[in-house]
């Protein structure tokens, strides 16, 4: 099983649609979870951290289900500028404190928002 | 704040030559820097973790003698690809964490390396 698994997509949605991405992770001891966004041929940019109670930032809502080891990202009222690859990222839970900083990256889910 | 720069943004070199890539944290001190590589349509692959003043920790399968990392100060880390081959052509990205912020990584814009 991959450490972080995402549906690669692509998701093609019309402007204004609501779209949800899911991600599962294998290490039950992981403590930190993130969604990053990566545009074509660019570096990843942090979209939002994912907190246990779920969190919202404008049109974006992230949720965490520790029991199922599952993270989600919901985008409401999609804009053309939301077209990108969304990367699910989980910290490497390890007794080695240095290794805890290591992030495990999913392959990403590609989103295309169409006019 | 938390700006990370990389230089060069792209480079083309001949097979057998060495290429040095710089990663700088411009407005904060980076206790740890990470070097990643990304091939087309693939995920980021961590190559090594670099802590200021100590030897880098390389991931399994990454040759430390081929990818030399130096993290001489709290704002600069360098990656040198030695004796580059066409299969080393990739997008190399660095990231940095601030002291105390363990997981939040700030990424540089990346360096696209093409080896001919």
């Amino acid at each position: 099983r991959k450490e972080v698994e995402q549906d690669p997509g692509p998701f093609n949605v019309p402007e204004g649609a609501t779209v949800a991405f899911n991600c599962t992770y294998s290490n039950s001891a992981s403590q930190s979870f993130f969604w990053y966004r990566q545009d074509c041929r660019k570096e990843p940019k942090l979209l939002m951290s994912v907190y246990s109670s779920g969190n919202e930032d404008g049109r974006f809502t992230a949720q965490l289900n520790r029991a199922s080891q599952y993270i989600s990202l919901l985008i409401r009222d999609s804009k053309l500028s939301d077209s990108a690859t969304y990367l699910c990222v989980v910290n490497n839970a390890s007794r080695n404190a240095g290794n805890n900083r290591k992030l495990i990256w999913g392959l990403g889910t590609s989103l295309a928002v169409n006019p | 704040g938390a700006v990370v720069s990389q230089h060069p943004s792209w480079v083309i070199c001949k097979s057998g030559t060495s290429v040095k890539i710089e990663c700088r944290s411009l407005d904060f001190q980076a206790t740890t820097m990470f070097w990643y590589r990304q091939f087309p349509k693939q995920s980021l692959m961590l190559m090594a973790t670099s802590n200021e003043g100590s030897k880098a920790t390389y991931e399994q399968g990454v040759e430390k003698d081929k990818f030399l990392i130096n993290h001489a100060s709290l704002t600069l880390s360098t990656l040198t690809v030695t004796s580059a081959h066409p299969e080393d052509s990739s997008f190399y990205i660095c990231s940095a964490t601030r002291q105390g912020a363990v997981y939040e990584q700030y990424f540089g814009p990346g360096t696209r390396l093409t080896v001919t």
Side-chain angles (χ1 to χ4, degrees):
Chain A
R1 184 184 172 185
K2 285 183 187 172
E3 290 177 280
V4 176
E5 204 148 0
Q6 293 182 252
D7 179 346
F11 283 60
N12 284 287
V13 302
E15 258 186 300
T18 295
V19 61
F21 305 137
N22 301 321
C23 169
T24 55
Y25 60 95
S26 61
N27 190 335
S28 60
S30 292
Q31 295 293 322
S32 297
F33 312 91
F34 309 90
W35 283 102
Y36 276 77
R37 170 198 168 125
Q38 187 174 24
D39 291 286
C40 190
R41 300 172 78 86
K42 299 278 189 182
E43 77 277 21
K45 291 189 193 290
L46 179 65
L47 182 65
M48 58 199 302
S49 302
V50 185
Y51 302 121
S52 297
S53 53
N55 47 301
E56 191 174 302
D57 183 0
R59 298 182 292 110
F60 300 85
T61 302
Q63 294 204 307
L64 168 65
N65 183 323
R66 285 190 189 271
S68 304
Q69 293 176 212
Y70 165 98
I71 304 156
S72 67
L73 176 68
L74 183 80
I75 305 176
R76 288 182 300 279
D77 188 23
S78 301
K79 311 287 184 197
L80 295 176
S81 56
D82 293 334
S83 299
T85 297
Y86 290 83
L87 301 163
C88 175
V89 187
V90 175
N91 83 294
N92 177 51
S94 163
R95 287 184 184 173
N96 181 332
N99 261 350
N100 263 327
R101 296 185 179 200
K102 181 177 161 182
L103 297 178
I104 309 298
W105 296 75
L107 277 171
T109 299
S110 176
L111 171 66
V113 181
N114 306 305
Chain B
V3 178
V4 177
S5 72
Q6 264 183 259
H7 178 81
S9 53
W10 61 268
V11 57
I12 301 172
C13 71
K14 291 190 175 177
S15 197
T17 59
S18 294
V19 174
K20 182 188 276 190
I21 303 169
E22 290 186 351
C23 177
R24 289 181 190 273
S25 56
L26 298 185
D27 53 0
F28 67 101
Q29 293 190 325
T31 48
T32 304
M33 287 184 169
F34 301 87
W35 286 97
Y36 293 87
R37 181 166 53 178
Q38 187 176 34
F39 292 107
K41 300 196 178 183
Q42 292 191 24
S43 185
L44 268 74
M45 297 282 299
L46 180 65
M47 298 175 69
T49 302
S50 164
N51 291 299
E52 183 263 338
S54 61
K55 287 184 181 178
T57 303
Y58 289 81
E59 294 300 301
Q60 199 168 11
V62 178
E63 298 173 57
K64 62 180 180 183
D65 295 329
K66 180 167 179 64
F67 299 99
L68 301 178
I69 292 172
N70 187 302
H71 191 160
S73 77
L74 283 171
T75 60
L76 172 65
S77 176
T78 60
L79 167 70
T80 302
V81 183
T82 62
S83 188
H85 289 283
E87 56 264 32
D88 297 325
S89 299
S90 187
F91 190 44
Y92 290 85
I93 315 175
C94 73
S95 71
T97 57
R98 293 185 209 248
Q99 197 160 17
V102 179
Y103 302 120
E104 195 160 329
Q105 295 187 19
Y106 302 94
F107 283 84
T111 297
R112 195 158 297 279
L113 170 65
T114 302
V115 185
T116 60

